[in-house]
Amino acid sequence: MREVFNFDDDNIMIVLVPAFSLQPGVFASVIEQDDNVQHSINCAAAPTRLDKDIGNNVDINMTLFKQLLSFSKDGQTFSLEDLAEHHHLRHDQSRAESPRWQFGNSDATAQYTILVGILGRNGRYGLQTLYVEDVRKFYLQEDLPDAYERRELP
Ligand SMILES: *[C@@H]1O[C@H](CO)[C@@H](O)[C@H](O)[C@H]1NC(C)=O
């Protein structure tokens, strides 16, 4: 996380502490494959995954993914406002659908801030411009975009 994404320790804690608390010393490849860890670090109202109480919270849900893409107003980029609007929708959907709904500030941080922090690059909204093509590559091919550049500052 430091070498590829230049995450600082606070960010690493938010993302990985829930997983480490279940499996000390776990590596990223294990996180992806271990359902227990996956379920504990996937929080409610995720952009592209159903809540655990509703359905499959591990695999991408293409209905939710297309819904996310539809929040780009110009079809090519997302602004922070676009993402905030999408978050409000997912938040409300999740609250309405999940029988044991719970949501905290760190959940919202993990979901959208990290997406912009990793994939954001220069564009019409400055360095926080998120490109639809990058989001597609990240979610559908589980790969970094060709234009990806590690952040200079954590
Ligand atoms: C994807 O999410 C939609 C909306 O919640 C739901 O209707 C659909 O059943 C889900 N698809 C799968 C394969 O889980």
Side-chain angles (χ1 to χ4, degrees):
M1 296 215 146
R2 283 198 188 103
E3 286 178 21
V4 176
F5 299 128
N6 202 8
F7 277 14
D8 70 7
D9 289 349
D10 288 347
N11 213 0
I12 291 172
M13 296 285 274
I14 289 173
V15 179
L16 288 185
V17 159
F20 282 139
S21 67
L22 277 184
Q23 287 198 356
V26 73
F27 291 102
S29 60
V30 179
I31 292 175
E32 288 172 3
Q33 290 159 14
D34 185 309
D35 277 357
N36 287 331
V37 176
Q38 176 85 61
H39 284 218
S40 76
I41 64 174
N42 245 7
C43 51
T48 64
R49 266 65 175 174
L50 291 174
D51 289 6
K52 186 179 168 197
D53 286 337
I54 298 173
N56 182 344
N57 74 326
V58 174
D59 300 312
I60 189 168
N61 178 298
M62 288 308 292
T63 304
L64 296 181
F65 181 68
K66 286 175 189 157
Q67 186 183 68
L68 170 64
L69 296 188
S70 76
F71 274 68
S72 163
K73 291 195 178 68
D74 63 8
Q76 296 182 334
T77 59
F78 296 96
S79 65
L80 292 181
E81 285 74 18
D82 294 340
L83 297 171
E85 287 168 15
H86 183 258
H87 167 64
H88 283 294
L89 173 73
R90 289 293 299 131
H91 182 271
D92 292 346
Q93 286 175 337
S94 170
R95 184 169 52 192
E97 292 169 359
S98 292
R100 294 176 292 135
W101 190 78
Q102 237 189 335
F103 196 85
N105 286 337
S106 68
D107 295 334
T109 305
Q111 291 172 358
Y112 292 88
T113 312
I114 291 172
L115 193 58
V116 175
I118 292 174
L119 296 183
R121 56 187 170 96
N122 208 10
R124 67 185 293 195
Y125 308 111
L127 284 172
Q128 294 172 331
T129 305
L130 191 62
Y131 284 82
V132 170
E133 63 177 292
D134 293 354
V135 170
R136 294 181 74 89
K137 181 143 192 197
F138 187 73
Y139 276 108
L140 299 181
Q141 296 174 29
E142 299 189 350
D143 202 357
L144 293 170
D146 294 336
Y148 174 74
E149 285 180 38
R150 181 181 187 267
R151 291 279 157 135
E152 285 180 31
L153 295 174

